[in-house]
Amino acid sequence: MKREYKTVRCMIHLYCRDHHNTGKELCQDCQELLDYAGLRLRACPFQENKTTCGNCQVHCYKPSLREKIQVVMRYAGPRMIWQHPVLAIGHLLDGLRKKAGPKKQLK
Ligand SMILES: [Zn+2]
């Protein structure tokens, strides 16, 4: 859980820095997104057993913010491998582990 949050935080920072020309601080939008991501992680019913949010069966993000976080992850994901190899690889492994399981349930 903590690692997931850390990963998301790194990704948002990376994205914000490259897209919004902010320095160390996040712009307000991205800060909001990060706060929301942290909130969702804490509220996630899977807690320690959860996989990455990208594969999560419970789509717990609000649609607008989910879209945004997906854009951030798509941008920052590959870059994370160079900047934070341990975090990125852990994140990828979580994703792989999940894909071996049952497909996401249709409602
Ligand atoms: Zn930003």
Side-chain angles (χ1 to χ4, degrees):
M1 289 308 285
K2 281 203 176 116
R3 195 187 60 206
E4 173 86 6
Y5 179 72
K6 217 169 153 189
T7 307
V8 170
R9 196 183 58 195
C10 286
M11 284 180 170
I12 293 176
H13 269 278
L14 199 70
Y15 180 83
C16 191
R17 196 190 59 202
D18 289 1
H19 286 80
H20 306 140
N21 291 314
T22 44
K24 274 188 196 157
E25 299 298 315
L26 291 171
C27 70
Q28 212 191 335
D29 269 12
C30 293
Q31 184 59 55
E32 223 170 79
L33 185 64
L34 178 60
D35 287 348
Y36 189 72
L39 210 70
R40 294 323 306 172
L41 279 177
R42 273 198 300 276
C44 184
F46 294 106
Q47 291 297 318
E48 293 300 331
N49 294 321
K50 82 183 286 300
T51 63
T52 59
C53 272
N55 291 316
C56 195
Q57 291 177 17
V58 176
H59 286 305
C60 54
Y61 283 72
K62 275 192 269 179
S64 62
L65 286 168
R66 196 171 81 216
E67 237 165 69
K68 210 164 154 186
I69 199 103
Q70 276 171 351
V71 170
V72 169
M73 284 183 175
R74 216 170 296 140
Y75 172 79
R79 287 163 181 80
M80 286 284 292
I81 292 178
W82 306 110
Q83 300 204 5
H84 304 279
V86 177
L87 283 179
I89 287 165
H91 200 73
L92 283 177
L93 286 179
D94 282 351
L96 288 176
R97 203 175 56 206
K98 181 66 209 338
K99 281 200 186 95
K103 288 259 181 204
K104 73 177 134 169
Q105 287 165 349
L106 296 171
K107 275 220 178 106

